[in-house]
Structure formats: C-alpha cells, structure tokens
Amino acid sequence: MTTKLIDATVPGGGDLTAPARCLREGGLVVFPTETVYGLGANALDDCAVRAIFAAKGRPADNPLIVHIWDTAQLDGLVAAIPDAARRMMDALWPGPVTLVLPRGQQVAPAVTAGLDTVAVRMPSHPVARELLRLADVPVAAPSANTSTRPSPTTAAHVMEDMDGRVAYVIDGGPCDVGLESTVVDVSDGGVTILRPGGVPLEALESLVGHVSCDAGAGTAAPRSPGMKYKHYAPRCEMVVVTGTHIRERVEQLIVQHAGKRIGVLAASDITKDIPGAAWITACGAAPESYAHALFAALRDMDARGAELVIAEFPFTERGMGRALRNRIYKSAGGNVVQS
Ligand code: TXA
Ligand code: MG
C-alpha cells in the first residue's frame, strides 16, 4: 500500500475530503490530535477496526478509544451517561480526557475487546475535528506507533512506523501535549483514573469531587488492559533517576557505564555539558515541557544509536507530573534509581 502524506500545516489546513471518505469506507487514516497522533478507522466497521490491530501489531485484548467531534454522536455509542461524566464532558471536551462508559449497541466488537464498556474522547485539535466532521462516523484510534514504541508526536515519527501500512497520514505539526489523554472510568458510579494524561487529576477533582487512581501497575488484569503491556520504550536500556541529588547520580551512572553511547534527558532548559554523555536533550524544567519533549527525545535516542538512556525526573506527582512519571517509568520498564 502506498501511504499518501497530506500537509495540513498549510494555511487553510489541506483538503481532508479524501481521507474522510477513506475512513468512512473502511480505510486507515493517521491524524494529529492535541495529545499524540492517532491511527483511525471507522468504529462501526469491525473489519476496518481489526486492520488497526494488524497495522500496529497490537494485542487484540487491548481496547481502543472512539473519537467524536460532537456529543450527538454518543447516541448508540454509549448506553448511559452518568452525572459525573456529563460534568466532565461539559467542562473538558474537546480536550485530552477519555471517558469509559457503558457500551452502546453500534460499537464494532473489535473496538472494546469484549468489554461491556467503551472509551470515548473528543479531541480539540482543529485538524482532528475537521476530519471527524467530514468523515461523519465515530473513529476508533490508538496512538499511531507500532506496539511498544514511543507514541508519535510528529508526522515524521508516524512515517517511521506506519509508512506503507495505512492509506493516509495527515501532518498537523507537532502535538501540543505530547502525552496521551487521561483515561477516566465513570462506568460504575465512581470516578477512577485508569491512565493519567493530559488533564491532571486535580482538574477532575475540582469538577466531580474525589477521584481515585488505578493505573494498574503490576496487576495481571488491570482495569485498563493497555497498562499491562511494555510501552513507550526506546530500543536500548533506559534508567530514570529521581530524588534529591539527581545530576550527581547521573554522573556516577555515566562513569559506571563508561564506553557506552549514553544519551541523557535533562530536566532543564539549557543543554549544559555532562562529562561522558554522548548527547544531552534538554527537556525543560517543567513537567509540561518535559511531557511535550519526551517521546520525540526517546525516538531521537534510538535514531542516534544510544546504548543507554538516562532520564532525570525531579518532579512531584502533582499536575502533569503524574502522567509524565507514569510514561517515563514505563519507558524505562520500571528501572528507576532513587538518589
Ligand atoms: O490521547 C490519546 O488517548 C490517544 C489519541 C490518539 O487519542 N490515544 C491513545 O490510545 O492513547 P491507545 O490505544 O494508545 O490507548 C488507549 C488506552 C489503553 O490503555 C486502553 O487499554 C484503554 O485506553 N482503554 C480503551 N478502552 C477501554 C475500556 N473500555 N476500558 C478500560 N480501558 C480502556
Ligand atoms: Mg498507545
């Protein structure tokens, strides 16, 4: 299959009629969202949705998020909308929060992997919204990476993984947030974060009161099936350094691993030289900038042939720190050093 790349970064946004028709007719289209790029298919077409799993090499028991541009599309997609869900939709959609709701009749079986719930989100990226409007069907879309690799935050990342496997890739420029949406289960009366993401826990609590967090670390059957898989990983070994004397510990680790090509993700705004490191990527001193930079930085480490990635993590679990911690710890496969 030849993949057509559409430039939607131009003024006016490019012509999205052909990819929209392709989606409606069962094809695969990659599109930008404010979080990461999504690999979309018509969520009402089981055969189209199964092609997503094949293109990504994704385990069939890991359900997908359905993307909509208008709440009128919820009819038939979900069986009920609890009060707390309604409040979050009103305040946070369009935006990076996904709601897990009781499943409606129309959703293709492959989307939900046998669960009686369905995850739904309304992205805010203007290109995603225009594509969804033109396609006029709900669109199931996981992140557009091959399974286990870091999620793509530019069209170039998408092409690394998906060239030849999808009909269209729409380039909308770099994604704002850089990490995926917050997945919130509201299907059972409570409000539980299954995956921290672009909307912080504190923002949810200000709307609905107490919110619990069950990101399923170490559980064999977590409530969000995706949390049990290896994810977001660079090809080489990676270690996260956290605590109080982070830079000193990073320098010690570099000495211990002398002879390896070592890349450092620094939690700073400037690339100050670190002796023995082959590359230093300054990811910014705030969790938001680090989140924005993380996946691109990990792919860059692979491209440069790093043999060890050391990532500084000085943040607390507040705000975006929570989602960033979740992704960066997973990227390192739980390999964390406390300094
Ligand atoms: O920001 C995002 O959410 C991006 C963009 C493309 O929208 N999408 C994304 O999709 O990250 P994916 O497939 O990479 O992650 C979806 C997560 C997985 O952890 C999956 O297990 C969980 O959502 N999920 C989907 N449906 C679910 C359900 N019915 N119940 C519990 N978890 C669900
Ligand atoms: Mg993903």
Side-chain angles (χ1 to χ4, degrees), residues 84-95 97 199 203-204 206-208:
R86 182 66 73 186
R87 253 175 284 156
M88 288 188 274
M89 285 174 190
D90 289 347
L92 302 170
W93 277 4
V97 64
V199 173
L204 301 178
S206 73
L207 291 169
V208 298

Side-chain angles (χ1 to χ4, degrees), residues 70-90:
D70 191 299
T71 47
Q73 292 176 289
L74 289 170
D75 243 7
L77 277 186
V78 305
I81 304 177
D83 253 13
R86 182 66 73 186
R87 253 175 284 156
M88 288 188 274
M89 285 174 190
D90 289 347

Side-chain angles (χ1 to χ4, degrees), residues 225-311:
M227 300 314 282
K228 73 174 183 254
Y229 293 108
K230 178 178 153 90
H231 221 146
Y232 320 115
R235 293 202 175 90
C236 67
E237 190 193 341
M238 173 168 166
V239 55
V240 176
V241 182
T242 187
T244 46
H245 295 84
I246 291 177
R247 185 55 63 85
E248 289 90 320
R249 194 73 186 87
V250 169
E251 286 170 5
Q252 286 168 8
L253 279 170
I254 291 173
V255 172
Q256 278 167 29
H257 291 269
K260 280 191 187 159
R261 292 158 74 82
I262 300 175
V264 177
L265 306 188
S268 61
D269 293 314
I270 38 159
T271 334
K272 197 165 137 273
D273 194 42
I274 305 175
W279 313 280
I280 300 133
T281 304
C283 295
E288 288 77 14
S289 57
Y290 205 128
H292 177 79
L294 177 67
F295 289 148
L298 291 176
R299 281 180 181 257
D300 183 52
M301 290 290 163
D302 280 346
R304 299 193 204 210
E307 294 168 306
L308 174 67
V309 173
I310 304 178

Side-chain angles (χ1 to χ4, degrees), residues 36 56 58 142-145 149 151 180 195 231-232:
V36 300
K56 271 184 71 94
R58 181 179 176 108
S143 49
N145 51 289
R149 294 216 69 206
S151 303
E180 300 85 345
R195 179 183 70 182
H231 221 146
Y232 320 115

Side-chain angles (χ1 to χ4, degrees), residues 33 35-38 56 58 62-65 67 98 100 115 117-119 121 141-143 179-181 183 194-195 223-227 231:
T33 82
T35 58
V36 300
Y37 277 74
K56 271 184 71 94
R58 181 179 176 108
N62 191 4
L64 306 177
I65 296 171
H67 297 66
T98 295
V100 174
L115 298 175
T117 54
V118 62
R121 112 170 175 90
S143 49
L179 299 182
E180 300 85 345
S181 63
V183 177
L194 303 183
R195 179 183 70 182
R223 285 166 67 179
S224 188
M227 300 314 282
H231 221 146

